[in-house]
Amino acid sequence: MTDEVREAISKLLAEADFEERGIVEQVIKRAGLKPQPRRITSQDELAKLADELGVRLDWHEPDEQGVTARVEGYNLDNAGSWPKEDGRPAVEMCVIIRKGEDEVAAVNLATLLGWASADRRI
């Protein structure tokens, strides 16, 4: 797959809602490719993802909606590297959010910690 095609698919997935993303992912899978998780870079994007996944406001028991997660990477930093970028493993720690068997989103762990604590710091 060319870089242009990969970039076009990534852009389409980033702009798609959960249902549209499912359709695009099915096309990608039928083509023998593995879809990349959506990169969550803002709190608004995370809130939209939560709505699409159907999780509670406090994210309590997301497994009841078939949502799980894992952390990959080894460096707690948010300088801008992402998991599986150009086929390489993650360097920066990211939370990979899954719905069923599909990786639907990636959130940088250091960024997530910043969002959680920013309005409570002195």
Side-chain angles (χ1 to χ4, degrees):
M1 176 176 6
T2 67
D3 289 338
E4 293 84 18
V5 171
R6 188 181 316 272
E7 186 176 320
I9 291 171
S10 294
K11 183 177 180 185
L12 182 60
L13 287 172
E15 295 172 356
D17 65 23
F18 192 70
E19 185 175 325
E20 292 167 337
R21 185 176 172 84
I23 294 167
V24 173
E25 288 175 350
Q26 289 301 317
V27 171
I28 290 170
K29 286 179 184 177
R30 288 183 185 193
L33 305 172
K34 185 175 182 200
Q36 297 294 306
R38 180 187 336 173
R39 296 174 179 180
I40 303 297
T41 59
S42 73
Q43 289 175 288
D44 288 340
E45 290 173 338
L46 184 60
K48 181 179 177 187
L49 175 68
D51 287 343
E52 292 170 0
L53 294 173
V55 298
R56 292 172 34 174
L57 289 176
D58 61 1
W59 282 72
H60 184 67
E61 297 181 349
D63 58 313
E64 292 179 356
Q65 287 76 39
V67 176
T68 60
R70 74 172 192 288
V71 175
E72 67 175 46
Y74 58 87
N75 189 14
L76 184 61
D77 192 5
N78 55 4
S81 77
W82 288 94
K84 297 178 187 63
E85 191 171 82
D86 299 328
R88 295 172 289 151
V91 173
E92 293 181 3
M93 297 177 82
C94 289
V95 178
I96 308 299
I97 300 171
R98 299 174 58 101
K99 175 80 171 181
E101 297 298 315
D102 297 323
E103 294 180 349
V104 296
V107 185
N108 180 285
L109 182 57
T111 299
L112 193 58
L113 293 170
W115 292 340
S117 63
D119 65 340
R120 290 173 171 68
R121 296 184 67 189
I122 299 173

